[in-house]
Amino acid sequence: MCDQTFMAATFGPCDSCGKASPLMNIYIKSEAINYCSFCVEMMACQQLQKGETLQSLKKESDSLKKKLEEERGKLNDVELHQVAEKVEVLSSLSIKTRRVLKGHGNKVLCVDWCKDKRRLVSSSQDGKAIVWDAFTLNKEHGVTLPCTWVMACAYAPSGCAVACGGLDNKCSVVPLSLDKNENLAAKKKSVAMHTNYVSGCTFTNSDMQLLTSSGDGTCALWDVESGQLLQSFHGHTADVLSLDLAPSETGNTFVSGGCDMKANVWDMRSGQNIQSFESHESDINCVRYYPSGDAFASASDDATCRFYDLRADREVAVYQKDSVIFGASSVDFSLSGRLLFAGYNDYTINVWDVLKGTRVSILFGHENRVSRVRVSPDGTALCSASWDNTLRIWA
Amino acid sequence: MAEGSKDQGGVGTMDPEEDSPNMIVYRKIEDIITRIQDEKAGGVAIRTVKSFLSKIPSVVSGADIVQWLIKNLSIEDPAEAIHLGSLIAAHGYIFPISDHVLTLKDDGTLYRFQSPYFWPSNCWEPENTDYAIYLCKRTMQNKARLELADYEAENLARLQRAFARKWEFIFMQAEAQVKLDRKKDKAERKILDSQERAFWDVHRPVPGCVNTTEMDIRKCRREKNPHRVKKSVYGVADDSQNQLSPVHISSQPARKPTKEDVQKEITFLNIQLDRHCMKVSKVADSLMSYTDQFVEYDPLVSSVEPSNPWISDDTTFWDLEASREPSQQRVRKWGFSLEEALKDPAGRDQFLKFLESEFSSENLRFWLAVQDLKRRPFREVPSRAQEIWQEFLAEGAPSAINLDSHSYERTSQNLKDPGRYSYEDAQEHIFKLMKSDSYARFLRSNIYQDLLLARKKQPADTEQGRRTSLEKFTRSVGKSLTGKRLTGLMQSS
């Protein structure tokens, strides 16, 4: 965790304005300075006053991009799958459907597990979110929201609340009551407000903060109790479709992916974009961290899933096949990171060997697009949500 | 049937929306369809089949299609080829000549290819008036093969009620279409009729079948060219023809980058250039060793003791995890890294207990307190931050931690305007300290080794010891979590 090579943002007084804030350690003409993000931007704009034209700036940017590509290329001394040849081939998996959760009246768009490893919350185009004990198939709570297409839902770490949002441009937190007769929607509290649909949401390591991604091109961190915006993240040039929090206990980063085909890694403290990856050929529908937090995978409409390492700052694997032509909507890793489960618009789930790059298995069963796949917190099962109105548990 | 020009909108110019999500798949399918029909280049044989007294023109068997897919798309499992073929059918590119249900069968069932005029990539959104005309015209022709299926008869009845006032008009259009059709060659008509039917099977599917024209609403808005949407199959001069599709809203053209944008980009690129990165060979080794280390704990790859609850319906595995007696395998995980030890509540407890025995628990308690601070609601943060300062860093603090002067200075500066991240530096410093010093000793300690080697311990002693350290922890950090939540966390471990 402490070996992360992203820019070490320290916290302290800024060299320029003196305010205490997260600092970026940058080099100006090989001189190291520590500026807060506001002063960095001021400085960047001041450079412009030195009579630079848009064209000359673009030229500079292009030459830097080329240089960066060259430098990174030098590190690409071998392919991951080549190094992984010495890894033992996986014995064939016998993953089957173990549960089918029926109850939604329309497409299931999102699912999230509870930390207790057996409960989950799912949300649907029919405007409802349902909390299930997936083990017993028991529906424990139902929340009706005033909008259709509830595209995002998340279970709070305490297990006492869920968050959901979608076409209403909001993300609301609903405390789960033990009283079955209580109307949960009445206690619903709007936390996040975006100017376009909410595509993804997750609690940070507590019930008190919510991180959201939106069709308005931004991500945002909210204080649940007050609804206050704590930090916003700008940088995507199109809808943001997905986000995932880094798994580290002290982690302060998250990754997002969107319709601009980019996957960006952000520092939650400063709001800065730390790293950016652009190798997909179409919308990135889902991003998910590898369990160690050093890498992440993405699923895209270009029918590929890709694997990026943060330390090498590049794509290190592509998971694709001639026969897989439909877009991938969602990915998740197994507990050890050896398997990558990917849900596709061709109603299947492909299971990829992360290291070797080969497909290990296809899971058939759903009768319409798979919108989301999630491995349970202890890795014992995979849950898939689909446009066929059901969820399936695989193990 | 109006076989009009393909482009009702543009003048045959390159479509700027080529990369909208649905279009990507359509183009790939069309590539497959084109190749599969190219007999000279290894495609399937499309022929006329004799059946009783008539001939069936331009068909191919399902088995042939499946074989072609297996061979040309490197597919190993026929089930996969059948599944892919069924999807290609469901999207309307191939269809069985005697069934409304669009799936592919790996046998002698006969299939035909759809006319490019009807391809989904032409952005069809046919209206109900057209569907009414179509069903109506089918009833006018006295052919067994054109008889309406039950669901179609129901649809027709419903449309008659809905368009009661317009029905004369619809009837007239249907008659006109029938006249046009009669002018065509018999064999050609068979083919065109079937293609037309397949088109409607896609846009008005059999009840229970997937409607493949449904779109993901997040992607809809970006279809930039609403005029490209084709609404009328029969050239009906409907005033609805020029209406924008409700689903295709013009989005703003992408903003042109400004000087500030490019300058920001340059700053970003400079930062990236200065970053120290690792070679792929090195990260590959790291990824492999991480996965290798955890593979035995991965229930979807390795078997778990006694069984995976989802498979056996037996929750013993979960009960064991929740019990206060961690298994040897779980204790071994704490030895992988300090992160792993702290991730597991039982590991955290044991480490704390060890530190207490050495009278050096303030580091871990500080680390835990800062973690808790970051999880507080916004309004509680400043006071909590002050409390932490008083407990761990102020002069004469009861649990004084050892920070280097630089971090200390920084932290005390941060506290002038206390926030969730005021202690980031200090926390990182303390973590490094624990990692290099006390964690290593913990792994060598009796407390850890006893658990790892499952040595018998005195039950009375350990029970006491654990409670004490837990009590101390709760007291020193303060009432950070409600009792309910704390129990909840404990139970979920």
Side-chain angles (χ1 to χ4, degrees), chain B residues 271-285:
Chain B
I271 294 171
Q272 299 306 312
L273 276 166
D274 282 327
R275 165 201 305 278
H276 169 65
C277 292
M278 284 167 65
K279 284 201 178 143
V280 175
S281 51
K282 239 189 135 192
V283 309
D285 282 337

Side-chain angles (χ1 to χ4, degrees), chain B residues 141-168:
Chain B
Q141 295 162 301
N142 222 351
K143 289 201 158 58
R145 66 181 161 87
L146 295 174
E147 238 174 57
L148 292 183
D150 287 341
Y151 78 96
E152 289 179 305
E154 276 173 41
N155 287 345
L156 180 58
R158 225 181 317 124
L159 287 166
Q160 273 174 325
R161 287 195 296 273
F163 290 134
R165 281 196 237 126
K166 271 180 122 168
W167 201 255
E168 218 182 292

Side-chain angles (χ1 to χ4, degrees), chain B residues 197-247:
Chain B
R197 188 196 72 196
F199 170 80
W200 287 110
D201 286 339
V202 170
H203 291 275
R204 300 288 186 275
V206 177
C209 285
V210 173
N211 184 344
T212 56
T213 62
E214 277 190 308
M215 283 198 272
D216 186 338
I217 207 165
R218 304 172 301 176
K219 320 271 177 168
C220 284
R221 316 178 309 139
R222 285 157 48 231
E223 310 275 300
K224 288 194 184 124
N225 203 345
H227 302 292
R228 216 177 156 255
V229 169
K230 283 176 91 130
K231 288 173 160 302
S232 171
V233 188
Y234 304 111
V236 170
D238 213 359
D239 46 48
S240 62
Q241 198 169 347
N242 291 324
Q243 252 173 33
L244 293 183
S245 160
V247 136

Side-chain angles (χ1 to χ4, degrees), chain A residues 97-124:
Chain A
T97 301
R98 306 290 173 176
R99 303 280 192 282
V100 181
L101 305 176
K102 295 188 189 168
H104 277 295
N106 211 324
K107 309 177 179 63
V108 189
L109 304 172
C110 186
V111 63
D112 190 27
W113 287 91
C114 174
K115 280 215 158 79
D116 75 355
K117 309 152 200 168
R118 51 189 286 173
R119 281 176 178 73
L120 45 84
V121 60
S122 61
S123 64
S124 162

Side-chain angles (χ1 to χ4, degrees), chain B residues 225-363:
Chain B
N225 203 345
H227 302 292
R228 216 177 156 255
V229 169
K230 283 176 91 130
K231 288 173 160 302
S232 171
V233 188
Y234 304 111
V236 170
D238 213 359
D239 46 48
S240 62
Q241 198 169 347
N242 291 324
Q243 252 173 33
L244 293 183
S245 160
V247 136
H248 300 280
I249 310 157
S250 321
S251 61
Q252 278 83 12
R255 223 183 77 240
K256 277 211 161 83
T258 63
K259 273 197 206 174
E260 279 84 14
D261 290 335
V262 185
Q263 187 59 65
K264 272 192 214 169
E265 204 180 41
I266 291 173
T267 314
F268 179 79
L269 289 166
N270 275 318
I271 294 171
Q272 299 306 312
L273 276 166
D274 282 327
R275 165 201 305 278
H276 169 65
C277 292
M278 284 167 65
K279 284 201 178 143
V280 175
S281 51
K282 239 189 135 192
V283 309
D285 282 337
S286 158
L287 292 167
M288 275 165 50
S289 64
Y290 180 90
T291 295
D292 188 50
Q293 201 173 43
F294 285 91
V295 124
E296 65 173 284
Y297 298 90
D298 189 340
L300 293 171
V301 180
S302 325
S303 57
V304 289
E305 297 296 315
S307 64
N308 185 325
W310 297 100
I311 301 177
S312 62
D313 284 341
D314 170 13
T315 61
T316 314
F317 177 69
W318 285 333
D319 299 333
L320 288 175
E321 286 285 306
S323 78
R324 304 303 297 155
E325 302 295 318
S327 67
Q328 281 179 281
Q329 198 192 30
R330 185 170 157 194
V331 172
R332 198 168 354 115
K333 228 203 257 186
W334 305 343
F336 291 169
S337 68
L338 178 53
E339 266 256 17
E340 280 300 319
L342 292 178
K343 226 195 258 183
D344 186 343
R348 219 185 299 148
D349 276 355
Q350 292 300 322
F351 188 35
L352 188 63
K353 190 174 140 192
F354 164 72
L355 291 171
E356 304 242 316
S357 73
E358 288 200 333
F359 301 101
S360 62
S361 65
E362 61 280 348
N363 283 342

Side-chain angles (χ1 to χ4, degrees), chain A residues 324-366:
Chain A
V324 178
I325 59 174
F326 284 79
S329 59
S330 178
V331 279
D332 202 359
F333 286 96
S334 69
L335 192 118
S336 64
R338 183 64 198 270
L339 299 175
L340 182 71
F341 296 96
Y344 289 77
N345 292 342
D346 66 4
Y347 320 171
T348 67
I349 298 168
N350 286 317
V351 187
W352 301 92
D353 181 324
V354 171
L355 301 173
K356 290 184 182 286
T358 54
R359 184 180 61 190
V360 174
S361 192
I362 322 177
L363 305 179
F364 293 105
H366 277 297

Side-chain angles (χ1 to χ4, degrees), chain B residues 11 38 138 152 193 219 257 280 410 413 457 472 474:
Chain B
V11 195
D38 189 352
R138 287 245 315 259
E152 289 179 305
D193 282 349
K219 320 271 177 168
V280 175
R410 260 228 159 89
Q413 282 281 17
K457 325 155 249 181
K472 277 197 194 160
T474 329

